[in-house]
């Protein structure tokens, strides 16, 4: 069945996979604008948040009540609250990182967590480690990192993604 504005909610409830491209094409601009407003500049978080918004729409469609508001208002609210959650998570992460830096300055020695992280980062190539430190520790935007390496921003995100996967594999091996 063809997906239209009139039957989009019904098609999501029926779990018609053709609805996802329709949602992205029809409402993607609205969702991206809302997400971008709250997560200004962090491309990776914006992409993850967009995916989470789509998943939330997909799995929580039964909570949509057409008598309370329009479908586009409902998905806009989901995008807003998800992006706020991502923003809070980012702020917590930055506070957490700065707490370790503060602990290091007070004690004069790096904390055990910082030593663990730095030894873990040694498993990455020099390029990956530099990108990781700039992006996650120093908070340098991916666009600036790409300019520094004279590469595309997608290359930076690719390096970050591969580095995270590599670190995850190492951490999982250590847990066993």
């Amino acid at each position: 069945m063809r997906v239209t504005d009139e039957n989009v909610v019904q098609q999501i409830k029926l779990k018609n996979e053709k609805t996802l491209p329709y949602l992205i094409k029809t409402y993607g601009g609205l969702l991206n604008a809302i997400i971008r407003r709250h997560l200004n500049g962090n491309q990776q978080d914006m992409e993850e948040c967009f995916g989470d918004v789509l998943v939330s729409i997909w799995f929580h469609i039964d909570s949509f009540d057409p008598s309370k508001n329009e479908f586009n208002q409902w998905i806009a609210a989901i995008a807003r609250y998800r992006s706020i959650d991502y923003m809070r998570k980012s702020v917590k992460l930055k506070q957490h990182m700065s707490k370790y830096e503060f602990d290091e300055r007070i004690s004069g020695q790096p904390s055990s967590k910082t030593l663990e992280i730095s030894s873990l980062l040694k498993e990455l190539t020099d390029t990956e480690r530099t990108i990781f430190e700039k992006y996650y520790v120093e908070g340098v935007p991916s666009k600036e990192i790409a300019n520094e390496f004279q590469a595309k921003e997608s290359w930076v995100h690719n390096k970050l993604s591969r580095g995270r996967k590599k670190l995850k594999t190492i951490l999982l091996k250590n847990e066993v």
Side-chain angles (χ1 to χ4, degrees):
M1 180 173 216
R2 191 165 170 259
V3 181
T4 63
D5 282 342
E6 292 77 31
N7 72 355
V8 67
V9 174
Q10 177 188 10
Q11 292 300 312
I12 296 172
K13 285 181 180 181
L14 294 172
K15 303 299 182 205
N16 179 355
E17 291 183 15
K18 293 179 182 175
T19 312
L20 286 175
Y22 178 82
L23 278 174
I24 293 168
K25 185 177 126 195
T26 307
Y27 300 104
L30 170 70
L31 298 175
N32 275 320
I34 293 167
I35 292 168
R36 194 176 309 116
R37 184 175 344 135
H38 293 284
L39 301 178
N40 48 354
N42 191 339
Q43 183 67 29
Q44 187 171 0
D45 279 352
M46 288 190 288
E47 290 171 6
E48 286 180 24
C49 185
F50 185 79
D52 278 356
V53 168
L54 291 176
V55 168
S56 293
I57 292 168
W58 189 260
F59 287 110
H60 296 100
I61 192 66
D62 293 328
S63 65
F64 171 65
D65 185 359
S67 66
K68 290 184 180 177
N69 52 19
E70 299 288 321
F71 180 69
N72 63 341
Q73 294 169 334
W74 182 72
I75 64 172
I78 290 174
R80 180 172 181 256
Y81 291 118
R82 282 283 177 215
S83 58
I84 289 171
D85 288 345
Y86 268 81
M87 185 178 60
R88 287 180 183 150
K89 185 174 83 172
S90 176
V91 167
K92 270 188 182 177
L93 180 65
K94 285 179 184 174
Q95 287 175 345
H96 189 68
M97 291 298 286
S98 65
K99 178 183 177 288
Y100 283 120
E101 290 171 9
F102 181 71
D103 289 346
E104 282 181 32
R105 281 190 231 126
I106 289 175
S107 68
Q109 296 179 359
S111 67
S112 61
K113 285 275 188 200
T114 305
L115 290 173
E116 185 179 315
I117 292 171
S118 59
S119 67
L120 193 59
L121 288 178
K122 287 180 182 173
E123 299 292 327
L124 300 174
T125 66
D126 290 339
T127 305
E128 289 171 333
R129 186 176 21 235
T130 304
I131 292 171
F132 252 73
E133 289 171 349
K134 286 185 178 298
Y135 189 79
Y136 290 113
V137 178
E138 299 169 19
V140 177
S142 56
K143 190 174 267 185
E144 287 181 28
I145 297 170
N147 289 338
E148 185 177 320
F149 282 93
Q150 298 175 349
K152 293 183 179 180
E153 194 173 357
S154 60
W155 176 82
V156 172
H157 290 292
N158 192 343
K159 289 289 186 189
L160 289 168
S161 175
R162 288 182 181 174
R164 282 192 311 274
K165 286 178 186 174
K166 193 182 289 186
L167 293 176
K168 183 178 179 181
T169 303
I170 293 167
L171 286 171
L172 290 174
K173 282 181 184 176
N174 290 342
E175 285 182 7
V176 175

